Amino acid sequence: MALPPATPVFRSKGGERSPGAKLGLAVLVGLLLAVPLATVWALVYDRQSQSETARASIAEGWGGPQTIAGPLLVIPYLGQTTETVEEGGKQVTRTKSVWRELTLAPETVKIDTAMKPDKRQRSIYEAVVYQAAVKGQARFAMPADLGRFGVDGGAMALDRAELRFGVSDARGLVGSPRVTVDARPLVLQPGNGLPTTGGAGFYAWLDASELRGKAMTADFAFDFRGNGWLTLSPRAGDTVWTATSSWPSPSFQGGFLPAERRIDAKGFSATYRIGNLALGQSLIATEDAKAVDRTNEGGPARGELNIDPGKYDARVTLVQPVDLYDQVNRATKYGFLFIGFTFLAFLMFDVIGGVRVSTVEYLLVGVALVLFFVLLLAFSEVIGFTFAYLVASAGIIGLITAYSAAVLKSWRRAGYIAGLLTALYAVLYILLSLEAYSLLIGSLMLFAALAAVMYVTRHLDWGARSDKEPETA
């Protein structure tokens, strides 16, 4: 049986492809490497998700991200309500007395919070937790215009008042909170917190009869545990909140930023001053005319995990200064830059130096470059990002240099590859450190590389073919 005719393949003299064909194959291999590079991105995301789950597990039982609020004074009062009913075919309007609640915010409140950070570790995962000590003083005064809110001063049951405090995760409370009113200690009860903390917190019964003639001062102190961040939901005529900690990397978020702050290697101190005009809230709220609760507009309901602070909250977050997963993810985004520069060097040796580099050799070198990011991720979880970067880059540079010596048939040429890779890894580390200038530095590198290639190949005929005789494949 006759065999089919062989497919003619045109090659240049000596069986070599044209420079343009070599460039096309290098680009094709580079594009194929996008698949393993995307897999590395997915791997980083998966490991980051596992890390977040592990951190949440470490902090479980310690206390979640905390929101504190209050104190607020809640006073029962008798109000009148009317209803229309039908009796004997006639509409009859009846008036009856019902118990309602008057919520009174303090005229001034001063809160000092000292956060003591700690690191908890399980296996290779680490979580930042804290124990906070809160001390404060609030001054309450009965407004003279209660009638504007439909409240009769004589109908208030001041002897049945409650002083309420909000703590979003009451499991984190440590020891026994201490509350005194005009130097008289109060007995505290669990629960019955504030809406801004999902109803969680504690309260105390008190006789607030003295509010009829003068102001009342409440002093309070309590300790609690939490992790991640601490949020204050202010509600007073004038709120002064001072937060201090030995943690050197805070992040101030929310609708209010500190009026004064200090950050150094010993920690931070931040002081907030927030007035009720900025909050858009009255000091008085009743069940008929509640004060506007804007502490979490556009966010999840209180009691759910509040990831983003509300527009009218103040938040201090204890940030881990180096998130290795973010750094590895950013490094992986420069993978094509590494592949492109390294392939370009091999291509120059091929089309100008006369050393033939096969498609398989491009592919193996590319796989080694992608493997760097996997090694970086694996070592970072154990020894930290910086040391992992040194170990992974040294290993890949050594591997590709040794392989290049065989492919390029010269240790001198392999030395150029080693120098190129060393420079690339050094520049990448700088890019990761200088996030604000990474785009500028990266674009200048690409410009310099393009200019160098254009200069070196300015006399090269990319489509040149010599001795175009068909060879059988």
Side-chain angles (χ1 to χ4, degrees):
M1 182 175 64
L3 295 174
T7 303
V9 177
F10 289 94
R11 299 183 183 273
S12 59
K13 188 175 181 180
E16 291 289 331
R17 296 184 179 91
S18 67
K22 294 177 180 180
L23 174 62
L25 286 173
V27 171
L28 179 61
V29 174
L31 293 176
L32 290 175
L33 290 171
V35 176
L37 201 56
T39 303
V40 174
W41 287 337
L43 178 62
V44 174
Y45 177 79
D46 179 67
R47 297 295 295 181
Q48 187 172 22
S49 298
Q50 290 185 31
S51 172
E52 292 171 355
T53 301
R55 290 175 183 174
S57 176
I58 294 172
E60 186 177 2
W62 176 267
Q66 293 283 18
T67 297
I68 59 174
L72 294 180
L73 187 62
V74 179
I75 305 171
Y77 71 96
L78 275 175
Q80 301 295 320
T81 183
T82 59
E83 61 179 358
T84 302
V85 297
E86 186 175 345
E87 290 184 357
K90 295 182 180 181
Q91 298 291 327
V92 178
T93 300
R94 292 180 176 177
T95 301
K96 63 178 181 179
S97 298
V98 294
W99 283 106
R100 292 176 175 163
E101 288 185 344
L102 168 71
T103 301
L104 181 64
E107 289 186 334
T108 62
V109 62
K110 186 177 185 299
I111 303 173
D112 294 320
T113 305
M115 303 174 66
K116 182 180 178 182
D118 191 14
K119 292 183 178 180
R120 295 299 174 98
Q121 192 167 6
R122 181 183 299 167
S123 183
I124 62 174
Y125 302 108
E126 185 179 77
V128 178
V129 299
Y130 63 82
Q131 182 162 321
V134 174
K135 293 182 179 180
Q137 185 179 80
R139 182 180 183 274
F140 294 88
M142 190 66 69
D145 59 346
L146 275 177
R148 293 178 178 270
F149 296 87
V151 179
D152 181 2
M156 292 188 299
L158 291 171
D159 59 334
R160 294 167 50 195
E162 294 180 4
L163 193 62
R164 298 179 181 177
F165 296 81
V167 180
S168 61
D169 190 352
R171 297 175 304 168
L173 287 170
V174 178
S176 299
R178 299 168 300 283
V179 179
T180 62
V181 172
D182 294 333
R184 290 181 287 109
L186 301 181
V187 178
L188 302 180
Q189 307 292 334
N192 215 17
L194 299 175
T196 52
T197 58
F202 57 91
Y203 73 103
W205 288 300
L206 78 155
D207 186 349
S209 300
E210 61 189 46
L211 273 176
R212 293 188 186 277
K214 63 176 184 178
M216 183 183 75
T217 301
D219 295 276
F220 53 92
F222 57 94
D223 298 344
F224 60 90
R225 299 180 301 191
N227 75 85
W229 63 73
L230 172 61
T231 302
L232 173 70
S233 183
R235 175 80 187 279
D238 183 25
T239 300
V240 179
W241 181 39
T242 300
T244 58
S245 176
S246 59
W247 189 259
S249 303
S251 174
F252 304 109
Q253 302 167 306
F256 299 100
L257 296 178
E260 300 175 7
R261 66 179 185 178
R262 173 196 57 81
I263 305 173
D264 54 35
K266 296 181 180 180
F268 72 88
S269 173
T271 300
Y272 295 79
R273 295 208 62 169
I274 306 167
N276 70 308
L277 295 181
L279 293 170
Q281 294 178 321
S282 169
L283 297 184
I284 300 175
T286 67
E287 293 181 357
D288 290 334
K290 292 183 180 297
V292 180
D293 179 14
R294 294 176 173 170
T295 52
N296 197 30
E297 284 186 354
R302 291 286 183 170
E304 298 179 6
L305 180 60
N306 184 9
I307 297 175
D308 296 320
K311 296 179 182 178
Y312 294 85
D313 286 342
R315 173 177 293 183
V316 176
T317 303
L318 303 184
V319 178
Q320 290 182 286
V322 178
D323 190 326
L324 65 92
Y325 296 103
D326 286 341
Q327 286 193 302
V328 174
N329 185 49
R330 287 183 57 215
T332 307
K333 293 177 181 178
Y334 292 94
F336 279 115
L337 194 65
F338 277 71
I339 294 171
F341 274 94
T342 308
F343 279 17
L344 190 60
F346 277 95
L347 184 64
M348 292 300 99
F349 280 120
D350 194 343
V351 300
I352 296 178
V355 181
R356 182 175 180 179
V357 181
S358 71
T359 305
V360 174
E361 290 161 349
Y362 277 114
L363 182 62
L364 291 176
V365 171
V367 169
L369 292 171
V370 174
L371 181 61
F372 162 76
F373 301 104
V374 179
L375 293 174
L376 178 61
L377 174 62
F379 281 112
S380 293
E381 293 183 330
V382 179
I383 62 176
F385 182 82
T386 300
F387 289 111
Y389 194 92
L390 291 173
V391 171
S393 59
I396 295 301
I397 290 173
L399 176 63
I400 294 180
T401 300
Y403 185 67
S404 299
V407 172
L408 302 178
K409 300 177 177 60
S410 169
W411 277 102
R412 180 181 178 184
R413 293 167 179 157
Y416 289 120
I417 298 296
L420 172 65
L421 290 174
T422 301
L424 283 174
Y425 284 117
V427 170
L428 176 60
Y429 191 82
I430 295 174
L431 290 176
L432 296 175
S433 303
L434 303 175
E435 183 176 358
Y437 299 99
S438 60
L439 179 61
L440 175 62
I441 297 174
S443 60
L444 290 177
M445 285 177 58
L446 291 174
F447 177 82
L450 179 61
V453 173
M454 292 173 70
Y455 178 79
V456 172
T457 62
R458 65 190 185 279
H459 299 307
L460 182 65
D461 185 356
W462 290 94
R465 292 178 183 275
S466 58
D467 190 23
K468 294 184 182 179
E469 296 182 357
E471 298 179 1
T472 57

